[in-house]
Amino acid sequence: MSRSRAEEYFRPSAEANELGSKTFGFVLALGATAPVLALSGVLGLADESSHSAVMLAVAAAFAVFASTVLRRRPWPSELRRVHTLNGAVVALATLGLVSTMIYLLTGAFNRFDDALYESVAGVSTSSLTVLADPSVLSDAQLIWRSGTQWLGGLLGLSLGVGLLPFLGGSRELADPRDRRTVSQALASRPVAALKRVLSIYSLVTVVVAAALFAAGMGAIDGTAHALSSVSTGGFSTEVGSVGSYNSVAIELATIVVMAGAGSSVALVWMLWRRQFSDTRRSFELRVVALVTVVATSWVLVARPNSGHGFWRDLLDSLFTVVSLGTTTGHHVDDWASWQPGLVMLLLILLAIGGMAGSVAGGLRWIRAVTLVSFVWRELQRQLHPNSVRVVKVGQSAISEASVDRIHAQLVFVSSACACGAILLGFAGLGVVEALSLALSALSTAGPGVSDSGTIVNASELSRGARLVLMPMMFAGRVFLYPALVFVGSLWFSGERSISARSRRVRPSQPAKVRR
Amino acid sequence: MHVIVVGAGEVGTHIAQLLSREGHDVTVVEQDNARVAEIDRMLDVSIVKGSATDPAVMRRAGVCDADLVVAATSSDDVNLVASLIAKLEGARQRVVRLERPSLRLADAAKLHEAVGADRVIDPDAAVAKEILDLLSYPGATEIAHLAENELLMVSARLSPTAPFVGQRLSDIAARLAPEWDFIVCTITRDGQTIVARTDQQLRDGDTVRIVCKTNARTEVMRQLGLAAREHHRLMILGGGRTGEMLARSLLAKGHIVSIIERNESRANELADTIDGALVLLGDITDGQLLVEEDIGSYDAVVALTGEDDANILACLFAKKAGARETIAVLHRLELRGLLSDAGVDVAISPRTASANEVLRTLQGGVSAVATSLDDDIAFYEVEIAAGSKADGVTIADLRLPHDTLVAAVSRDGETSMCRGSTQLQPGDHVVFTAHGKDVEHLRKVFAKS
């Protein structure tokens, strides 16, 4: 590389005054926190606690700070993959720390580690809470707890749909129809895509809150459940989660919301635009629909008889499958006590998670199908060494580079799961509990299965176990790779050296963000 | 009729040869000197040297009063322009060879109309269809659908176990009387093809061509000693355009298909675009590969590469390994006669399928529907014209040329095999077999002169 090229690569951001990606992530996280804090404060005014005042004050301070900084300092003019990932990790960490501060300021938790754990569980959209009884929190705190999940979901969605596809990320893996929609229907530029994602996400949240209110939930419960359901967070204001309401309407509404949240945003966009035929052609959607039908049927047949009749059992079975399949974590039954085969099925659904381009965590179905196609190809190669086979998902051929990335991700997930399970075992958990919690944390679902066959709550876990779960949930929320890249960039003394490497292997100029 | 054939490649030359043999006034337009010299030496046709995209050249060929222009070069663009010129200059009918799928789909109908293409042909597609037909009738060496699929022409080599072997045609006819569902039309023995006579006895090794009612095909196949079981596992050697089309059709019918392709990027393309086929990278003459893939376990092996030698070698290898049927596409036909003895069951040429398509376009009463590479005896279809010599006359009284056999007649949707006593009526569709040289005379008999 010539000296001038090298200098160009190692040069600081194009504009000296420009915000760095990490600073930008920090400021943006504070700015995004402000409206959610304000909402929590406003809705909490009714219960006459002092929490609302604290939240409204902090919200105002964040809003002023963020707007001032963003007005005075230009945004990063160039979008680079590594910078974006680092910015996202910083934003998520900021959200977690801000949430910890709010919990401590409002007295939700007395201990820093409890507040930090609950915050990480919130922003990573995990339903594994240390609160044995959420009703001890004030209305404002409950909304804020759900709001952290909403913010975590928004960040995941922005990263997965709004930014990475434009930086040569997982776009290739999207269904062709989705890919077209992400790039053309959603937007052709990152900033426009981000705005559209934010609009859809916010609008859907409002609609869901109204629907849950209409179905019989109170305003606080409805808002909290809307925030935690559209983000596949799964936090509930009730100990028994959605099952506490014993309402068919609420269950149905929640199923629809969870299914929507576990679906690709592009598909939701197509449905919104009434492009039904395009939606039907999505291969991943068909796979998910088939798996949901089969799994629900299996659960319905093999689950213990609840005595509520066939239709109610069917609804509850569907609820459980959709909730775990989308890594949401709401529950209406104590599914962990069911037949071990069923529990394993549900844990596998939880590990695979939702569709590509959705809020849900997990490996994603498109990747699972790709891996199956890859295994089939390798089996064929054993039989026919000269065979030429392309890894395909539906009608789309998957490039070898994408297949390699999926393998790397699978290895990373498996390794992280194994290490986490080992550490959880050292922290005193049994084999089943450690494995299920490790899997659940990485998928950002939350619920685990105890060795005695009950759904595990984090309040029952030791502090050591929670310490192990926190980085796993965090990594799961930012799609694992960014976490790894972030750690890598620290290891290689700063992101610049990594970005230089990444630019060397990416000859084309990355997309630019324009305001 | 005055016919202009544009392009003297494999397809164009064969079409010119057939039309010339039938007595048509044929002009070939070709710009390659070597090809011009070869055509001049081989065929009794007029030749105009030059590009068919030049109106002046086409005018020199007599496009203004041409009855038919066949644009048969290997370039779609040239063929389209030639057809357009022919249309503008007043040629009555135009047949255009087009290979690009986008130019052949229904969406391209407006383009066909604009350039005046009355019929579009594609040699690759025609070969694929011909092979598909052959694979539907295991053991048959030729298949043609006649009289709007009411009749079938089947050609097959008689095996020693075939029920027909040792029987006189008169005995077969007597046994099946009064209703015949099929008729033996030609017999090829020791390289000579003759129109069948009742006193002839069928022998082991004879190749017979039979016209039968389509719904009687199973019985005919049994009498010919052909396998009743359809092929299921098929191997295609060569993943070119024909191979791809054939593979898609076979997969759609539920067959198991493997393709061997030598070119890596093409193999990748096939693996990407054809779902369900096993695509193998390698040379079709690589014995180790063929053994590894157990080529002998396939029901049929079809060699479709552009190299005749490789096609023949691979088919011989497959036959020896145990494949039930082998089909080879050949471009050079000198050794064709030896192949069936050696182990290649069927040898077909891209030129015949296309030629049949062109000949079907010819109007004037008689149109050929099935020609053979082995001889000049072809099958024709004709509609009896009112006032023609055949109107109201029995076949026996028509005094048809020697080696002409009227096989079947289709009247008001009913198809029946013909005898000497069958009286022809206007509107009847008659299927007959005859030498190409007699077609002009037969046209005058069946159609109004």
Side-chain angles (χ1 to χ4, degrees), chain A residues 31-365:
Chain A
T33 304
V36 180
L37 266 175
L39 176 72
S40 307
V42 170
L43 288 177
L45 286 173
D47 71 357
E48 297 177 349
S49 69
S50 59
H51 305 153
S52 293
V54 173
M55 290 184 181
L56 287 171
V58 175
F62 283 174
V64 169
F65 172 75
S67 61
T68 306
V69 172
L70 292 175
R71 203 178 300 136
R72 291 189 177 178
R73 300 275 302 274
W75 295 19
S77 58
E78 200 171 356
L79 207 58
R80 291 182 188 171
R81 186 174 166 76
V82 176
H83 292 179
T84 305
L85 299 182
N86 287 345
V89 172
V90 168
L92 197 67
T94 306
L95 287 176
L97 290 172
V98 166
S99 174
T100 305
M101 183 188 78
I102 296 293
Y103 285 140
L104 292 173
L105 281 176
T106 58
F109 298 98
N110 295 321
R111 289 179 60 104
F112 175 78
D113 60 333
D114 284 347
L116 181 64
Y117 174 85
E118 196 64 15
S119 299
V120 171
V123 297
S124 63
T125 69
S126 168
S127 64
L128 199 60
T129 173
V130 292
L131 294 163
D133 180 7
S135 63
V136 299
L137 298 182
S138 67
D139 288 352
Q141 287 168 330
L142 284 173
I143 296 294
W144 172 246
R145 174 61 174 84
S146 294
T148 55
Q149 295 197 322
W150 190 86
L151 287 168
L154 176 63
L155 188 121
L157 208 54
S158 304
L159 196 62
V161 178
L163 292 174
L164 290 185
F166 293 93
L167 298 174
S170 56
R171 191 177 191 175
E172 191 175 13
L173 270 179
D175 189 279
R177 297 280 161 183
D178 295 3
R179 210 183 308 160
R180 181 180 65 81
T181 311
V182 167
S183 59
Q184 291 177 0
L186 262 182
S188 57
R189 306 191 65 82
V191 171
L194 283 174
K195 283 181 181 170
R196 193 149 283 165
V197 164
L198 180 62
S199 308
I200 295 171
Y201 194 58
S202 306
L203 185 66
V204 168
T205 307
V206 172
V207 171
V208 171
L212 291 174
F213 182 72
M217 277 189 180
I220 297 297
D221 284 3
T223 307
H225 278 89
L227 290 168
S228 67
S229 297
V230 295
S231 58
T232 69
F235 175 76
S236 176
T237 52
E238 297 291 334
V239 180
S241 190
V242 176
S244 302
Y245 297 95
N246 195 24
S247 161
V248 171
I250 289 174
E251 270 189 53
L252 274 173
T254 311
I255 287 172
V256 172
V257 177
M258 291 187 297
S263 304
S264 157
V265 173
L267 280 180
V268 175
W269 178 248
M270 280 192 281
L271 280 174
W272 176 258
R273 303 192 65 171
R274 299 186 179 181
Q275 295 168 346
F276 299 118
S277 59
D278 282 356
T279 313
R280 277 200 303 273
R281 276 197 284 264
S282 164
F283 182 75
E284 193 182 15
L285 179 65
R286 280 186 281 171
V287 170
V288 171
L290 179 69
V291 168
T292 304
V293 169
V294 172
T296 303
S297 307
W298 191 0
V299 170
L300 182 64
V301 171
R303 59 173 282 164
N305 188 0
S306 68
H308 295 141
F310 173 80
W311 293 110
R312 190 56 195 265
D313 280 358
L314 176 64
L315 185 68
D316 290 352
S317 303
L318 180 63
F319 187 97
T320 305
V321 167
V322 172
S323 174
L324 295 175
T326 57
T327 70
T328 305
H330 284 312
H331 57 93
V332 290
D333 278 309
D334 185 11
W335 53 269
S337 64
W338 290 350
Q339 187 198 28
L342 275 187
V343 177
M344 284 307 299
L345 168 76
L346 294 170
L347 285 175
I348 289 169
L349 288 180
L350 178 149
I352 296 175
M355 291 174 64
S358 72
V359 194
L363 185 67
R364 310 305 173 87
W365 276 102

Side-chain angles (χ1 to χ4, degrees), chain A residues 44 372 439 468:
Chain A
V372 170
L439 208 57
V468 174

Side-chain angles (χ1 to χ4, degrees), chain B residues 45-356:
Chain B
V45 295
S46 308
I47 303 170
V48 172
K49 187 177 171 307
S51 169
T53 56
D54 182 348
V57 172
M58 292 296 278
R59 275 188 217 111
R60 275 210 325 269
V63 70
C64 304
D65 54 19
D67 296 297
L68 175 67
V69 172
V70 182
T73 73
S74 56
S75 163
D76 289 347
D77 305 340
V78 170
N79 294 339
L80 285 170
V81 174
S83 177
L84 181 61
I85 293 171
K87 179 188 174 190
L88 296 174
E89 294 291 338
R92 284 177 198 85
Q93 290 188 83
R94 294 147 298 268
V95 175
V96 183
R97 171 181 175 178
L98 293 176
E99 295 187 352
R100 247 176 289 159
S102 57
L103 296 177
R104 295 176 48 79
L105 297 173
D107 295 349
K110 280 187 179 173
L111 177 70
H112 299 167
E113 192 182 336
V115 299
D118 299 302
R119 185 184 282 269
V120 172
I121 59 168
D122 177 1
D124 292 339
V127 169
K129 186 179 176 302
E130 193 172 331
I131 294 172
L132 206 59
D133 277 342
L134 287 169
L135 293 172
S136 302
Y137 298 91
T141 55
E142 277 178 73
I143 292 288
H145 298 278
L146 311 168
E148 295 179 338
N149 287 333
E150 288 293 314
L151 295 169
L152 191 69
M153 190 281 286
V154 184
S155 171
R157 188 180 164 102
L158 294 179
S159 63
T161 56
F164 272 165
V165 171
Q167 295 192 42
R168 278 185 190 284
L169 295 180
S170 55
D171 296 339
I172 296 171
R175 183 155 47 83
L176 297 172
E179 285 299 319
W180 299 344
D181 284 337
F182 63 88
I183 188 165
V184 179
C185 296
T186 68
I187 302 170
T188 303
R189 184 178 296 160
D190 302 327
Q192 294 290 318
T193 302
I194 53 169
V195 173
R197 299 280 163 203
T198 53
D199 59 342
Q200 281 166 329
Q201 189 178 36
L202 297 174
R203 294 183 201 160
D204 168 28
D206 284 353
T207 298
V208 294
R209 280 192 269 181
I210 291 178
V211 169
C212 69
K213 292 181 181 174
T214 302
N215 55 18
R217 62 187 183 278
T218 310
E219 173 60 14
V220 170
M221 298 289 279
R222 195 184 67 77
Q223 293 290 340
L224 289 169
L226 302 181
R229 185 164 64 90
E230 258 202 61
H231 296 317
H232 186 53
R233 295 183 71 230
L234 300 111
M235 177 169 272
I236 297 171
L237 307 178
R241 219 172 133 252
T242 310
E244 183 181 345
M245 283 188 274
L246 183 61
R248 287 186 192 283
S249 304
L250 291 169
L251 286 166
K253 290 174 77 178
H255 294 287
I256 295 172
V257 178
S258 301
I259 306 170
I260 297 183
E261 168 58 38
R262 185 171 56 186
N263 183 291
E264 189 171 352
S265 65
R266 176 62 181 161
N268 276 312
E269 189 184 338
L270 290 171
D272 184 3
T273 55
I274 303 181
D275 283 329
L278 172 65
V279 180
L280 300 158
L281 179 65
D283 194 307
I284 68 165
T285 56
D286 178 354
Q288 196 177 344
L289 169 66
L290 299 181
V291 170
E292 207 166 55
E293 293 303 326
D294 197 10
I295 195 168
S297 67
Y298 283 85
D299 294 328
V301 174
V302 185
L304 296 167
T305 72
E307 297 167 18
D308 289 358
D309 308 347
N311 290 345
I312 293 170
L313 277 175
C315 282
L316 296 180
F317 193 99
K319 195 70 184 177
K320 194 171 181 191
R324 273 174 57 200
E325 185 171 16
T326 55
I327 298 174
V329 166
L330 298 182
H331 303 269
R332 289 178 288 120
L333 302 169
E334 293 81 4
L335 299 174
R336 190 170 177 273
L338 301 173
L339 294 180
S340 57
D341 294 326
V344 179
D345 297 313
V346 186
I348 59 176
S349 162
R351 64 184 75 168
T352 44
S354 303
N356 290 341

